[in-house]
Amino acid sequence: MKRPKVEAFARNLSPETTASVRSASVQKTKARKEILWDDLKDVEAARTEAARIKDDVLDRLKPLLLQFETAATALGVQVHWCVDGESARAKILEICRQTEPQGGVVVKAKSMATEEIHLNDYLEEHGFTPVETDLGEFVVQVDHDTPSHIVTPIIHKNRRQIAASFAREDLGPYSEVPEELAMQARLHLRQKFESAKIGISGVNFAIAETGRIVLVENEGNNRLSTTAVETHIAVMGIEKLLARESDLPLFLRLLAGSATGQRLTSYTHFIAGPRRSDEEDGPREVHVILLDNGRTRVLAGKYREILRCIRCGACLNVCPVYRQASGHAYGHVYSGPLGAVLAPALEGIEKLGELAKASSLCGACEEVCPVKIPIPRMLLELRDEATQAGVIKEVIPWKAFAAGATQPAGWRMGLKLLPMAKFAPGGPAKQGWTESRELPEIEGRNFRKWWNSR
Amino acid sequence: MVELPMTDREKILAALPDATAEGLPPTEWTGARSHVFADVFLALGGKIGTVSDFSDLVAGRSVWLDDDARQELQSRGIELPSNCDSIWDAAVGVTLAQLLVAETGTIAVAAGPGHWRLASLVPPVHVVLARRDQEVPSLSDAIAALTDRTSVFISGTSRTADIEGVMVRGVHGPGEVWLLWL
């Protein structure tokens, strides 16, 4: 029986990996609930307000982006607009070459936008050496793997796997102790921070009113990648704006609470441009890449609410399909409920519409989303679109059901035959049902017969 | 007449609907519970002392002090070694705080003349000098008080839980943060 891609992947996953993904997801979901429900007076009101603010940003994206460009430029930031990944990669390479004409090491803080445009491979092909500095992304890089979660990239790995990778890369004596492994990475990466001239990051929030960009993190690698370098390049999706600084407290609390169960992450970095002439350190150049890559098209369409997303990952953590299948099953940098909508929305139904089926429509994602994105509604719309486009094929029993249900004679015949369903030969359709469920027992009499005989 | 191709900027702006610059009134969200700064800071793994603890903390260790932190300590007659040759070799980085935030146990540190952004980041121990009157109740207060300089809100030590969810402190940033009351 041909299974959907995500399901097929889930079935092939080792129990070890499923266990890692599930336990991490459960723990993060619990941490989110505890911090938000303990520490916010009214979680529902906070989410409603955040959704309202983000919708307003999306309604006014054009003037807000122009306002950001003006304010950021006044701070000495160089703002670049890039219509797609190809354009962004070329622009980033150009900036890198201005700083290091012969190529060199580029320290990278974790950025899903840079993964979206496949930046690392491109930089490598053009004489630069991107080094991921977030511990999870560093492990992903040494393993030639991809992240399986947008916030916690290696929840699919356990300490033994990481220890084996580090030993293979000669980072230190073999150890499975997390603290020792982290210190090996720290020592190795410290040299890179000290010598690298170029750092690349994402952006969590860009403030239109002041031109500042805000980056949040726990390790310190993001601050190092954006401070201990000559040139800082920040890549952001155009929707990552907020209108005002006064919007920040709500979003910073919701992001940290939803992503990692914290009040705030260890570092909240407000970057107001490059080093000033009276300052002692900091990058001499700060560049912001405003990335479209399909977002203006999404904004104009049925899935625009997905652009409210602040990339907290809570929907991934709570999703029963994600927990079973892991992020890699989705085959895209954006996975889980977020990815099931954003990936086909950005790259097209033809390519990724099947992801809309990777859901039981339980609605847990919408419940935990800090900006109340109506993911289940959008998944239904995507399924419809994908079915019309022939990407999702209607399974034969549905066609048979539709035929029978629209003709009275057919319906009556179906009702007569129903009690014999359990004796029907198995086949892919029946197997799909009976694999995890039992066919119900048909009890009692036919209702119409009874009604007509009263 | 030959038309020049649109720049990326023009393409993106053309694809966005026009809208007024006027938006929602500023949010009045004040929905976070208040706390006592010291409680939250300690729970985050921070350590608290007073300025008289300074000499013991740095005894025998290489240090890097921001200029105003140095002046503050010198004005109290505290003996100070000069900054070591490279901030990357310092064991202890010392800065003043711009603000303390009770809601989140946060220390705000700003860039400026005589300040090194790396002083609160590169050395494995970060010592912050602060006065009690620098404390503000909420994150909103702290953000309203941001100057136009680059700054960082520090809420505890550097940490990661990337390996099996086990928390490790001091991955890249300081694993130890001391607040000394002036």
Side-chain angles (χ1 to χ4, degrees), chain A residues 27 37-42 45-46 49 52-53 56 58-66 69 75 81-84 87-88 133-137 151-155 157-160 162 166 176-179 181-183 185-186 189-190 193-194 212 217-221 223-224 227-228 238 244-250 252-253 262-276 278-283 290-292 296 299-300, chain B residues 7-35 39-41 43-44 64 66-67 86-90 101-107 109-126 138-175 177:
Chain A
Q27 188 274 323
W37 288 94
D38 283 346
D39 232 45
L40 300 191
K41 295 175 197 164
D42 188 338
E49 179 67 2
R52 200 175 71 99
I53 290 173
D56 177 60
L58 295 177
D59 287 340
R60 297 190 295 133
L61 201 53
K62 190 171 188 172
L64 286 174
L65 281 169
L66 290 168
E69 180 186 47
L75 289 173
W81 302 67
C82 292
V83 76
D84 57 18
S87 172
T133 61
D134 171 273
L135 179 59
E137 293 288 348
V151 174
T152 48
I154 52 172
I155 61 172
K157 293 190 195 289
N158 60 39
R159 65 185 74 188
R160 278 170 298 290
I162 298 164
F166 275 31
E176 290 176 10
V177 179
E179 203 167 78
L181 290 168
M183 289 305 114
R186 179 178 187 276
L189 290 168
R190 219 158 161 77
F193 289 128
E194 213 180 323
R212 254 199 270 257
E217 61 152 342
N218 277 310
E219 294 179 21
N221 66 297
R223 281 176 70 199
L224 280 165
T227 306
I238 52 175
R244 300 186 183 89
E245 309 251 325
S246 59
D247 293 331
L248 277 169
L250 170 62
L252 290 173
R253 291 301 310 260
Q262 297 175 283
R263 290 193 176 93
L264 286 179
T265 54
S266 297
Y267 306 114
T268 307
H269 193 188
F270 303 86
I271 297 179
R275 177 201 304 206
R276 299 188 193 174
D278 61 353
E279 290 178 352
E280 306 297 334
D281 60 8
L290 298 176
L291 178 70
D292 181 352
T296 47
L299 184 65
Chain B
T7 63
D8 278 20
R9 182 176 184 276
E10 285 163 348
K11 283 181 195 163
I12 294 172
L13 289 171
L16 289 169
D18 288 321
T20 76
E22 265 305 298
L24 295 172
T27 181
E28 285 168 15
W29 185 77
T30 50
R33 299 197 194 286
S34 52
H35 298 290
D39 292 344
V40 187
F41 180 65
L44 289 169
W64 191 280
D66 274 355
D67 288 352
S86 165
I87 202 168
W88 291 92
D89 298 329
V101 190
E103 179 191 318
T104 49
T106 297
I107 299 170
V109 177
H115 289 188
W116 280 261
R117 295 166 211 228
L118 295 181
S120 61
L121 181 57
V122 165
V125 177
H126 177 208
S138 75
L139 190 51
S140 297
D141 297 326
I143 284 174
L146 281 171
T147 64
D148 75 335
R149 300 265 186 183
T150 291
S151 60
V152 60
F153 284 7
I154 299 171
S155 308
T157 66
S158 148
R159 69 183 65 202
T160 182
D162 271 338
I163 302 177
E164 284 193 9
V166 174
M167 190 175 71
V168 176
R169 292 190 193 278
V171 201
H172 295 294
V177 180

Side-chain angles (χ1 to χ4, degrees), chain A residues 105-125:
Chain A
V105 168
V106 172
V107 282
K108 281 201 69 229
K110 192 158 72 68
S111 159
M112 293 301 104
T114 63
E115 309 247 1
E116 183 188 322
I117 63 174
H118 308 293
L119 180 65
N120 284 4
D121 286 344
Y122 181 81
L123 287 176
E124 276 176 14
E125 285 160 24

Side-chain angles (χ1 to χ4, degrees), chain A residues 29-340:
Chain A
T29 299
K30 180 164 175 280
R32 167 199 171 269
K33 184 163 88 90
E34 280 169 6
I35 196 68
L36 290 181
W37 288 94
D38 283 346
D39 232 45
L40 300 191
K41 295 175 197 164
D42 188 338
V43 181
E44 193 49 36
R47 297 171 65 222
T48 303
E49 179 67 2
R52 200 175 71 99
I53 290 173
K54 270 288 172 177
D55 275 345
D56 177 60
V57 167
L58 295 177
D59 287 340
R60 297 190 295 133
L61 201 53
K62 190 171 188 172
L64 286 174
L65 281 169
L66 290 168
Q67 189 185 19
F68 173 76
E69 180 186 47
T70 304
T73 305
L75 289 173
V77 175
Q78 298 176 54
V79 177
H80 312 273
W81 302 67
C82 292
V83 76
D84 57 18
E86 189 185 330
S87 172
R89 289 191 299 265
K91 175 58 66 177
I92 293 166
L93 179 64
E94 184 190 315
I95 298 166
C96 288
R97 281 187 170 148
Q98 281 163 15
T99 304
E100 297 242 59
Q102 311 300 324
V105 168
V106 172
V107 282
K108 281 201 69 229
K110 192 158 72 68
S111 159
M112 293 301 104
T114 63
E115 309 247 1
E116 183 188 322
I117 63 174
H118 308 293
L119 180 65
N120 284 4
D121 286 344
Y122 181 81
L123 287 176
E124 276 176 14
E125 285 160 24
H126 290 86
F128 286 90
T129 308
V131 175
E132 292 290 343
T133 61
D134 171 273
L135 179 59
E137 293 288 348
F138 175 69
V139 172
V140 161
Q141 189 174 46
V142 305
D143 275 355
H144 305 288
D145 197 352
T146 55
S148 65
H149 189 285
I150 59 171
V151 174
T152 48
I154 52 172
I155 61 172
H156 61 297
K157 293 190 195 289
N158 60 39
R159 65 185 74 188
R160 278 170 298 290
Q161 294 163 328
I162 298 164
S165 301
F166 275 31
R168 190 191 65 231
E169 296 293 317
D170 229 0
L171 293 170
Y174 182 89
S175 167
E176 290 176 10
V177 179
E179 203 167 78
E180 285 173 19
L181 290 168
M183 289 305 114
Q184 287 178 8
R186 179 178 187 276
L187 271 167
H188 174 82
L189 290 168
R190 219 158 161 77
Q191 304 159 22
K192 314 286 179 190
F193 289 128
E194 213 180 323
S195 58
K197 296 203 168 73
I198 302 168
I200 299 182
S201 75
V203 172
N204 292 102
F205 304 103
I207 310 297
E209 138 186 278
T210 57
R212 254 199 270 257
I213 57 174
V214 185
L215 277 65
V216 307
E217 61 152 342
N218 277 310
E219 294 179 21
N221 66 297
N222 197 310
R223 281 176 70 199
L224 280 165
S225 303
T226 58
T227 306
V229 293
E230 302 261 317
T231 298
H232 168 209
I233 304 168
V235 183
M236 66 176 259
I238 52 175
E239 82 281 21
K240 296 301 264 306
L241 278 187
L242 289 174
R244 300 186 183 89
E245 309 251 325
S246 59
D247 293 331
L248 277 169
L250 170 62
F251 280 89
L252 290 173
R253 291 301 310 260
L254 280 175
L255 176 55
S258 306
T260 49
Q262 297 175 283
R263 290 193 176 93
L264 286 179
T265 54
S266 297
Y267 306 114
T268 307
H269 193 188
F270 303 86
I271 297 179
R275 177 201 304 206
R276 299 188 193 174
S277 53
D278 61 353
E279 290 178 352
E280 306 297 334
D281 60 8
R284 301 230 180 250
E285 283 178 33
V286 175
H287 299 258
V288 171
I289 308 284
L290 298 176
L291 178 70
D292 181 352
N293 206 27
R295 286 156 174 77
T296 47
R297 199 181 60 247
V298 176
L299 184 65
K302 281 184 291 188
Y303 311 115
R304 98 196 280 257
E305 292 98 328
I306 200 68
L307 297 175
R308 291 183 198 156
C309 178
I310 61 175
R311 304 289 192 267
C312 71
C315 60
L316 278 68
N317 298 339
V318 78
C319 176
V321 173
Y322 178 89
R323 286 179 180 186
Q324 191 91 316
S326 87
H328 289 150
Y330 297 74
H332 196 273
V333 59
Y334 302 120
S335 60
L338 162 66

